[in-house]
Amino acid sequence: MTEKLEQVLPENIEKRSFEIISQELGERSFDPLEEPVIKRCIHTSADFDYADTLVFSPGAVRRALEAVRSGALIVTDTNMGKAGVNKKVLASFGGETVCFMADPDVAKAAKEEGTTRAVASMKKAAALAEETDRPLILAVGNAPTALVEICALLDQGKIDPVLVIGVPVGFVNVVAAKEMLLEKDVPSIVARGRKGGSNIAAAICNAILYMARDGVE
């Protein structure tokens, strides 16, 4: 049976999508600050598993909102993730998003240390955050090694992010890295299991940005 096409104006497609998501979630209820994040991840992926697998540390979204309104620096582990973040909204609060994965110094450090660029980029993020003293949000959607390095930097007291978004996708060390992050005393939003991706990391950032823009408290 062919599904009938809906007549929806282009400017109403996103609104209609969220209406469908709400309908399909039915009577399920979520924390008011977490619900927009969950729904935007579903909107991005058409995967309702995120309603069950997204794990929020207490107060994580509220702290992230405060950080965004204070001009947060968002560091992603892929340029795809960086591209997906709404930079116009972020810039309206004085913030910016960066990715160091293609930087020559990151490639050089990774080669010299025998590690991944993701590890080197997280070290660079820690150094930059210390220099600028800006609220730091780390959005990891691809590399579990980035999460492992963040955990190491936390243990060493070398990084103090306002939020760590841990949603790498894949099979090798992905689940273990996410669980490692969940054990740390740091505000986090984690997609348990193998699913995630740069698009999900950007979706989480954007959900927070839009709440900040719309005056959600």
Side-chain angles (χ1 to χ4, degrees), residues 109-159:
K111 185 175 181 180
E112 290 176 351
E113 297 172 12
T115 186
T116 67
R117 292 190 183 196
V119 168
S121 70
M122 291 303 111
K123 289 182 178 179
K124 183 171 181 175
L128 180 62
E130 186 175 357
E131 290 174 8
T132 61
D133 194 32
R134 299 170 69 181
L136 176 64
I137 295 174
L138 301 172
V140 178
N142 182 68
T145 54
L147 286 190
V148 174
E149 181 60 25
I150 290 168
C151 290
L153 291 167
L154 287 167
D155 290 342
Q156 297 161 18
K158 294 183 178 179
I159 199 167

Side-chain angles (χ1 to χ4, degrees), residues 180-194:
M180 183 183 297
L181 176 61
L182 286 170
E183 293 175 358
K184 300 301 177 183
D185 184 20
V186 63
S188 64
I189 301 174
V190 175
R192 270 192 155 133
R194 294 171 170 176

Side-chain angles (χ1 to χ4, degrees), residues 2 19 24 32-33 38 45 56 64 85 93 103 105 114-115 119 121 135 145 147 150 153 166 178-179 183 212:
T2 303
E19 288 173 354
E24 296 201 17
L33 289 182
I38 294 167
S45 63
F56 299 77
V85 175
F93 294 104
D103 290 6
D105 59 332
T115 186
V119 168
S121 70
T145 54
L147 286 190
I150 290 168
L153 291 167
K178 291 175 179 178
E179 293 301 319
E183 293 175 358

Side-chain angles (χ1 to χ4, degrees), residues 50 75-82 99 101 118 122 138-147 150 164-170 174 178 181 189 191 194-205:
Y50 288 108
V75 179
T76 66
D77 69 328
T78 63
N79 278 301
M80 182 185 296
K82 175 186 174 183
C99 177
M101 291 293 285
M122 291 303 111
L138 301 172
V140 178
N142 182 68
T145 54
L147 286 190
I150 290 168
V164 180
I165 298 170
V167 294
V169 61
V174 167
K178 291 175 179 178
L181 176 61
I189 301 174
R194 294 171 170 176
K195 294 181 180 181
S198 297
N199 58 332
I200 297 299
I204 292 171
C205 290

Side-chain angles (χ1 to χ4, degrees), residues 19-79:
E19 288 173 354
I20 294 170
I21 290 168
S22 296
Q23 289 169 6
E24 296 201 17
L25 285 171
E27 298 301 316
R28 297 193 60 173
S29 61
F30 305 94
D31 179 282
L33 289 182
E34 297 172 4
E35 183 173 352
V37 178
I38 294 167
K39 288 184 175 179
R40 188 154 292 276
C41 287
I42 294 171
H43 175 259
T44 296
S45 63
D47 189 341
F48 281 81
D49 283 355
Y50 288 108
D52 299 304
T53 60
L54 280 180
V55 179
F56 299 77
S57 66
V61 176
R62 189 173 300 281
R63 288 198 61 186
L65 287 170
E66 294 170 356
V68 164
R69 289 172 175 141
S70 299
L73 175 68
I74 298 178
V75 179
T76 66
D77 69 328
T78 63
N79 278 301

